[in-house]
Amino acid sequence: MTQGPTRRTVLFATGAAALTVGCSEYGDNSDSGSDSVEASAGTELAKTSDIPVGGGKIFKDEKVVVTQPKEGEFKAFSNICTHQQCPVANVSDGTINCTCHGSKFKIADGSVANPPATKPLPEKQITVDGNSIRLA
Ligand code: FES
């Protein structure tokens, strides 16, 4: 007869602990406190499997080109051509290509492979976390 209240107390304590854990996890997920839709640090751009080896992929909204010059090596560059600021159009044969006037940039380091551009594409910071590529 004296066990009833005791068991209820134990259950209540367990429930309270679970609630506390839930709250703190939620707090961690809210990160920097910014809920804006801008592409910002930590935004997942792609899965590593989305980026072809020896090629790359253009993310227009995030204004970034992600390349994989060698298997497992990922780089990111601005998608804006340094010639006259057209967004680059495609990635093929080891270069990032602007079709406005024909400039090409190497996928390994963004350097100019074909003029008229004279300056490399600025590199952007990314992090590869498991199989997900994020803006750093
Ligand atoms: S703007 Fe890209 S080649 Fe001229």
Side-chain angles (χ1 to χ4, degrees), residues 51-57 65-78 90-97 104-113 120-126:
I51 314 299
V53 177
K57 195 170 174 188
V65 185
V66 178
T67 64
Q68 187 175 187
K70 290 181 202 156
E71 180 138 27
E73 183 184 311
F74 295 91
K75 301 263 180 164
F77 306 96
S78 162
N90 57 66
V91 183
S92 66
D93 297 328
T95 57
I96 300 162
N97 310 311
K104 297 186 179 194
F105 305 88
K106 293 180 189 168
I107 61 168
D109 58 6
S111 63
V112 176
L121 289 177
E123 192 159 355
K124 294 210 170 186
Q125 294 303 309
I126 49 169

Side-chain angles (χ1 to χ4, degrees), residues 7 14 16 25 33 42 45 48 52 57 60 71-72 76-77 79-80 88 101 109 112-114 117 119 127 130 135-136:
R7 186 176 296 156
T14 308
E25 277 175 0
L45 281 173
T48 53
K57 195 170 174 188
K60 278 199 189 117
E71 180 138 27
F77 306 96
N79 77 326
I80 303 300
V88 295
H101 315 95
D109 58 6
V112 176
N114 198 66
K119 290 185 193 154
T127 57
L135 287 173

Side-chain angles (χ1 to χ4, degrees), residues 1 5-7 9 11-12 16 18 29 34 38 42 47 52 66-67 75 79-80 82 89 92 96 102 119-120:
M1 286 300 168
T6 305
R7 186 176 296 156
T9 306
L11 285 174
F12 177 77
N29 285 343
S34 167
E38 283 172 38
K47 299 292 183 195
V66 178
T67 64
K75 301 263 180 164
N79 77 326
I80 303 300
T82 57
S92 66
I96 300 162
K119 290 185 193 154

Side-chain angles (χ1 to χ4, degrees), residues 80-88 97-105 114-117:
I80 303 300
C81 180
T82 57
H83 177 230
Q84 286 183 6
Q85 283 69 55
C86 284
V88 295
N97 310 311
C98 178
T99 51
C100 282
H101 315 95
S103 291
K104 297 186 179 194
F105 305 88
N114 198 66

